[in-house]
Amino acid sequence: MPHNHITKVLVIGYVWPEPRSSAASGHVMQILETFLQQGWHITFSSPAGPGEHKADLAAFGIREVPIELNNSSFDHFISELAPDIVLFDQFMMEEQFGWRVEKHCPQALRVLETSDLQSLRHARHQRLKQRLKLDPEQNDFSDVFAPALSDKFALMAETDLAKREIAALYRCDLNLMISQVEIQLLVEQFGMPAQLLHWCPLMIDPPADQAAAWAERANFLSIGNFRHAPNWDAVLWLKTTIWPLIRQQLPQAQLHIYGAYTPPKATALHNVKEGFHIMNWAEDALQVMSVARVCLAPLRFGAGIKGKLVDAMLCGTPSVTTPVGAEGMHGEYSWPGAITQSAVDFANSAVALHDNEAHWQQARAAGHTLLTERYSQSVHGPALIEKLLYCMQHLQRRRVENFTGSMLRHHSHKSTQYMSQWIEAKNRCAKESD
């Protein structure tokens, strides 16, 4: 590549980024900012309609181009753009557009941004549903939270979703993984080559710790996009079991639950008398997190790493969560609060953090250490750029070495291509006959 060449990046998003609504969008924005710092030219495209809280990408100097599924207009668009890197945001975008990218820009580096392993999240959801069906009253989920990688593999291996998702990972030249546990799972259990995976967690440079003190804070807080199934399940577990246990010990306690896209079923849970407040969307998530004393994240299933828990650390707010909530987040460092497996332990830990200032201070300090040591943008940003440049430089060799990927591209892209062309022809006929 000539020295004066400006790297062009095309990002194909499953949705338009809404960083104030979801951690996945926040991560995409952090990656875009890292590219912008390099002076790279970025075009963001998505077949989705703009959401209520869409980021103004144009204000960052990012070109916005809506695209359509199953439409050859994309072929002209990408041929003209001729990007050096194509970043698929979520594996379904690779399924839809990967063959078109390969056909019209074979030399572009194809990168997949996973956010989380969806097949792991869905497999855990199924297991939780089965468990609740068998024993709806049980509130110790230590068996559901089984940490062994082989258990996760057994849950996922039979599912169509895992086969689709892992095939997409193989078809790409590089995959950005937000969780080291998921990298370990893919390498050790699914046999994926480690060189196809790059650890890229949420990237934040923490400010000096100036957060409000214990005495200046009040209440418990829970936050998360209601459209995300693990968050809704967490709210239900809080309402039915955990919150009543907390209120038994702290009769005046208040819980504020924030989330984008609040459905009527959530609003219906609002109960002032119980101190259970559904607050809708937080205009500024960090502001509400900064005045809360304890963040509650009772996640019974999920994957990836949790933006709300990084936000809590950023605001100096200790958190109580589950092994699923903390998975892949703290490495060898102490958790800034508590990790629990049952409703009783969760409630007791929440009360202890809320009422014991020394315990609270210790948790808060642990959060600051964890952010600094594991989530530093000044470490992960340059590492990401270095990896992308290395992959572009050694692209042909990497593709030859990834025989499984080229085999999967050969077979699945042909079938996807014919299906897509058939849908396009069908749509065209329907329009002509109208």
Side-chain angles (χ1 to χ4, degrees):
M1 205 179 292
H3 286 305
N4 58 358
H5 176 84
I6 293 175
T7 301
K8 287 189 284 186
V9 183
L10 170 64
V11 182
I12 303 177
Y14 181 66
V15 293
W16 295 93
E18 294 193 17
R20 294 192 298 166
S21 300
S22 78
S25 281
H27 192 232
V28 168
M29 290 302 292
Q30 289 162 6
I31 291 168
L32 296 180
E33 282 163 25
T34 303
F35 294 168
L36 288 171
Q37 284 163 12
Q38 296 298 305
W40 292 0
H41 285 185
I42 306 170
T43 302
F44 196 103
S45 293
S46 177
E52 213 179 302
H53 310 300
K54 175 186 167 293
D56 181 3
L57 297 178
F60 293 92
I62 296 170
R63 181 180 167 213
E64 298 181 12
V65 181
I67 50 176
E68 282 184 56
L69 297 172
N70 307 308
N71 194 314
S72 52
S73 60
F74 178 85
D75 305 347
H76 307 300
F77 158 64
I78 195 167
S79 300
E80 206 173 289
L81 182 65
D84 302 290
I85 300 171
V86 176
L87 178 75
F88 302 102
D89 170 31
Q90 301 196 27
F91 81 91
M92 294 84 85
M93 293 298 94
E94 189 282 333
E95 284 184 331
Q96 288 287 343
F97 295 99
W99 67 273
R100 292 184 187 275
V101 171
E102 180 170 22
K103 188 175 178 184
H104 298 284
C105 286
Q107 288 314 305
L109 181 75
R110 297 185 290 269
V111 183
L112 176 56
E113 205 291 280
T114 58
S115 293
D116 65 2
L117 269 184
Q118 294 188 35
S119 46
L120 174 59
R121 170 163 32 100
H122 284 270
R124 281 174 161 164
H125 195 182
Q126 294 314 309
R127 178 163 70 170
L128 178 67
K129 282 179 183 172
Q130 287 160 7
R131 170 64 191 282
L132 292 172
K133 213 175 188 175
L134 286 173
D135 188 358
E137 299 306 311
Q138 172 60 265
N139 273 296
D140 180 343
F141 292 92
S142 41
D143 58 331
V144 171
F145 297 136
L149 291 177
S150 54
D151 290 347
K152 296 183 181 78
F153 175 75
L155 279 178
M156 295 163 69
E158 292 298 309
T159 67
D160 285 352
L161 194 60
K163 289 164 189 165
R164 283 175 56 198
E165 185 169 28
I166 290 165
L169 297 177
Y170 266 108
R171 287 193 298 264
C172 288
D173 300 309
L174 186 68
N175 300 280
L176 308 185
M177 305 299 299
I178 206 164
S179 164
Q180 285 176 315
V181 170
E182 291 174 10
I183 291 178
Q184 202 184 348
L185 173 66
L186 290 169
V187 172
E188 292 179 15
Q189 296 294 318
F190 287 93
M192 271 202 84
Q195 67 170 23
L196 291 179
L197 308 169
H198 176 74
W199 181 43
C200 181
L202 293 171
M203 299 183 281
I204 288 147
D205 276 329
D209 189 6
Q210 297 168 328
W214 178 82
E216 294 165 12
R217 296 169 178 247
N219 309 325
F220 294 92
L221 171 136
S222 187
I223 192 164
N225 188 329
F226 282 108
R227 284 184 178 169
H228 193 51
N231 293 337
W232 172 239
D233 176 72
V235 170
L236 290 178
W237 196 26
L238 275 169
K239 175 72 176 180
T240 57
T241 313
I242 295 169
W243 188 243
L245 291 170
I246 291 174
R247 286 276 285 200
Q248 277 172 22
Q249 297 182 62
L250 300 173
Q252 300 307 311
Q254 305 293 312
L255 170 61
H256 294 159
I257 297 176
Y258 292 90
Y261 302 105
T262 312
K265 64 182 180 180
T267 314
L269 302 179
H270 183 78
N271 188 318
V272 176
K273 210 164 72 182
E274 292 173 3
F276 198 90
H277 305 271
I278 303 292
M279 309 293 287
N280 297 324
W281 188 60
E283 187 70 39
D284 183 344
L286 295 180
Q287 191 275 322
V288 296
M289 184 72 81
S290 297
V291 294
R293 197 174 279 180
V294 182
C295 170
L296 305 181
L299 295 155
R300 292 191 285 190
F301 69 99
I305 63 175
K306 314 301 174 293
K308 60 175 93 18
L309 295 173
V310 169
D311 284 351
M313 294 177 220
L314 201 54
C315 297
T317 308
S319 58
V320 185
T321 189
T322 62
V324 164
E327 182 180 271
M329 289 200 67
H330 61 115
E332 73 273 25
Y333 296 94
S334 303
W335 184 256
I339 301 168
T340 63
Q341 307 207 38
S342 70
V344 170
D345 287 348
F346 194 103
N348 291 340
S349 297
V351 170
L353 270 173
H354 185 275
D355 278 11
N356 184 326
E357 186 177 356
H359 181 35
W360 187 90
Q361 290 288 9
Q362 201 179 356
R364 170 172 154 161
H368 193 69
T369 303
L370 187 49
L371 262 192
T372 311
E373 296 298 327
R374 276 180 73 86
Y375 296 97
S376 176
Q377 202 279 338
S378 51
V379 171
H380 293 291
L384 172 60
I385 298 299
E386 191 182 328
K387 186 67 176 224
L388 292 171
L389 293 175
Y390 176 84
C391 291
M392 287 161 79
Q393 213 178 338
H394 300 95
L395 187 56
Q396 291 318 112
R397 196 189 77 212
R398 287 174 70 85
R399 285 182 180 170
V400 168
E401 287 171 357
N402 179 16
F403 179 76
T404 304
S406 61
M407 180 174 65
L408 286 166
R409 284 203 310 276
H410 174 78
H411 289 288
S412 68
H413 279 179
K414 288 285 184 285
S415 56
T416 311
Q417 177 181 342
Y418 296 137
M419 172 61 84
S420 183
Q421 288 170 338
W422 178 78
I423 292 169
E424 184 176 7
K426 191 165 154 275
N427 291 343
R428 195 165 49 239
C429 291
K431 272 182 190 163
E432 285 165 5
S433 63
D434 278 354

